[in-house]
Coordinates of all heavy atoms in Angstrom, one line a residue:
E1 N 4.9 3.3 -2.1 CA 5.2 1.9 -1.8 C 5.2 1.7 -0.4 O 5.7 2.5 0.3 CB 6.6 1.5 -2.4 CG 6.6 1.4 -3.8 CD 8.0 0.8 -4.3 OE1 8.9 0.6 -3.5 OE2 8.2 0.7 -5.6
G2 N 4.5 0.7 0.0 CA 4.3 0.4 1.5 C 3.0 0.9 1.9 O 2.1 1.4 1.2
A3 N 2.7 0.8 3.1 CA 1.5 1.4 3.8 C 1.7 2.2 5.0 O 2.8 2.0 5.6 CB 0.6 0.1 4.1
G4 N 0.8 2.9 5.4 CA 0.9 3.7 6.6 C 1.8 4.8 6.6 O 2.2 5.2 5.4
S5 N 2.2 5.3 7.7 CA 3.0 6.5 7.8 C 4.5 6.3 7.3 O 5.2 7.2 7.0 CB 3.1 7.0 9.3 OG 3.6 6.0 10.1
D6 N 4.9 5.1 7.2 CA 6.3 4.7 6.7 C 6.4 4.4 5.2 O 7.4 4.2 4.7 CB 6.9 3.4 7.5 CG 7.0 3.7 8.9 OD1 7.4 4.9 9.4 OD2 7.0 2.8 9.8
A7 N 5.2 4.6 4.5 CA 5.2 4.4 3.0 C 6.2 5.3 2.4 O 6.4 6.5 2.9 CB 3.9 4.5 2.6
T8 N 6.8 4.9 1.3 CA 7.8 5.7 0.5 C 7.1 6.3 -0.8 O 6.4 5.5 -1.4 CB 9.0 4.8 0.1 OG1 9.6 4.2 1.4 CG2 10.1 5.6 -0.6
V9 N 7.4 7.5 -1.0 CA 6.9 8.2 -2.2 C 7.9 8.4 -3.2 O 9.0 8.9 -3.0 CB 6.2 9.5 -1.8 CG1 5.7 10.3 -3.0 CG2 5.2 9.5 -0.7
F10 N 7.5 7.9 -4.5 CA 8.4 8.1 -5.7 C 7.7 9.0 -6.7 O 6.5 9.0 -6.8 CB 8.7 6.8 -6.3 CG 9.5 5.8 -5.4 CD1 8.8 5.0 -4.6 CD2 10.9 5.8 -5.5 CE1 9.5 4.1 -3.8 CE2 11.5 4.8 -4.7 CZ 10.9 4.2 -3.7
I11 N 8.5 9.8 -7.5 CA 7.9 10.6 -8.5 C 8.7 10.3 -9.8 O 9.9 10.5 -9.8 CB 7.9 12.1 -8.1 CG1 7.2 12.4 -6.9 CG2 7.3 12.9 -9.4 CD1 7.3 13.8 -6.4
L12 N 8.0 9.9 -10.8 CA 8.7 9.7 -12.1 C 8.3 11.0 -12.9 O 7.2 11.2 -13.4 CB 8.1 8.6 -12.8 CG 8.7 8.1 -14.2 CD1 10.1 7.9 -14.0 CD2 8.0 7.1 -14.9
A13 N 9.4 11.9 -13.0 CA 9.1 13.3 -13.7 C 10.0 13.4 -14.8 O 11.1 12.8 -14.9 CB 9.6 14.3 -12.6
S14 N 9.4 14.2 -15.7 CA 10.2 14.6 -16.9 C 10.4 16.0 -16.8 O 9.5 16.9 -17.2 CB 9.4 14.2 -18.2 OG 10.2 14.6 -19.4
D15 N 11.6 16.5 -16.2 CA 11.8 17.9 -15.9 C 12.2 18.8 -17.1 O 12.1 20.0 -17.1 CB 12.8 17.9 -14.8 CG 14.2 17.3 -15.2 OD1 14.2 16.5 -16.0 OD2 15.2 17.5 -14.5
D16 N 12.7 18.2 -18.1 CA 13.1 18.9 -19.3 C 12.5 18.5 -20.6 O 12.9 18.7 -21.7 CB 14.6 19.0 -19.4 CG 15.1 17.5 -19.6 OD1 14.4 16.6 -19.7 OD2 16.5 17.4 -19.6
G17 N 11.4 17.6 -20.5 CA 10.7 17.1 -21.6 C 11.5 15.9 -22.2 O 11.1 15.3 -23.3
G18 N 12.6 15.5 -21.6 CA 13.4 14.5 -22.1 C 13.0 13.1 -21.4 O 11.8 12.9 -21.1
E19 N 13.9 12.3 -21.2 CA 13.7 11.0 -20.5 C 13.2 11.2 -19.1 O 13.8 11.9 -18.3 CB 15.0 10.2 -20.6 CG 15.0 8.8 -20.3 CD 14.2 8.0 -21.4 OE1 14.2 8.4 -22.5 OE2 13.6 7.0 -20.9
P20 N 12.2 10.5 -18.7 CA 11.6 10.7 -17.4 C 12.7 10.3 -16.4 O 13.5 9.3 -16.6 CB 10.4 9.8 -17.3 CG 10.1 9.6 -18.7 CD 11.3 9.6 -19.5
K21 N 12.7 10.8 -15.2 CA 13.7 10.5 -14.2 C 12.8 10.2 -12.9 O 12.1 11.0 -12.5 CB 14.7 11.6 -14.0 CG 15.7 11.2 -12.9 CD 16.8 12.3 -12.8 CE 17.7 11.9 -11.8 NZ 18.9 12.9 -11.5
E22 N 13.2 9.2 -12.1 CA 12.5 8.9 -10.9 C 13.3 9.5 -9.7 O 14.5 9.5 -9.6 CB 12.4 7.4 -10.8 CG 11.6 7.1 -9.4 CD 11.1 5.6 -9.4 OE1 12.0 4.8 -9.1 OE2 10.0 5.3 -9.7
Y23 N 12.5 10.3 -8.9 CA 13.0 10.8 -7.6 C 12.3 10.0 -6.4 O 11.1 9.6 -6.5 CB 12.7 12.2 -7.5 CG 13.4 13.1 -8.5 CD1 12.9 13.2 -9.8 CD2 14.6 13.7 -8.2 CE1 13.6 14.0 -10.8 CE2 15.3 14.4 -9.1 CZ 14.9 14.6 -10.4 OH 15.4 15.3 -11.4
C24 N 13.0 9.9 -5.3 CA 12.3 9.3 -4.2 C 12.4 10.4 -3.1 O 13.4 11.1 -2.8 CB 13.2 8.1 -3.7 SG 12.7 7.4 -2.1
L25 N 11.3 10.5 -2.4 CA 11.2 11.5 -1.3 C 11.9 10.8 -0.1 O 11.6 9.7 0.2 CB 9.8 11.9 -0.9 CG 9.4 13.0 -2.0 CD1 8.3 12.6 -3.0 CD2 8.8 14.1 -1.2
A26 N 12.8 11.6 0.6 CA 13.5 11.0 1.7 C 12.7 10.8 2.9 O 12.9 9.8 3.7 CB 14.7 12.0 2.1
E27 N 11.7 11.6 3.2 CA 10.8 11.5 4.2 C 9.7 10.5 3.9 O 9.2 10.5 2.8 CB 10.2 12.9 4.6 CG 11.3 13.8 5.3 CD 12.1 14.4 4.1 OE1 11.7 14.3 2.9 OE2 13.2 15.0 4.4
P28 N 9.3 9.6 4.9 CA 8.2 8.9 4.6 C 6.8 9.6 4.6 O 6.7 10.7 4.9 CB 8.1 7.9 5.9 CG 8.8 8.6 6.9 CD 9.8 9.6 6.3
L29 N 5.7 8.9 4.0 CA 4.6 9.5 3.8 C 4.0 10.3 5.0 O 3.5 11.4 4.8 CB 3.4 8.6 3.4 CG 2.1 9.0 2.9 CD1 2.2 9.9 1.6 CD2 1.2 7.9 2.7

C-alpha cells in the first residue's frame, strides 16, 4: 500500500493451514 520508499507491506499468511492472518511489516518498503 502506498508508493515509493514509504510504502507499507502486508502479508496475508496461513501459518497453520487454518484461517489466514494478516501481518504488517513494521519497516517501509
Side-chain angles (χ1 to χ4, degrees):
E1 287 188 1
S5 61
D6 292 330
T8 302
V9 179
F10 297 88
I11 301 172
L12 184 60
S14 181
D15 56 341
D16 60 3
E19 196 66 27
K21 180 173 181 178
E22 186 167 74
Y23 294 87
C24 175
L25 278 106
E27 293 77 16
L29 184 65

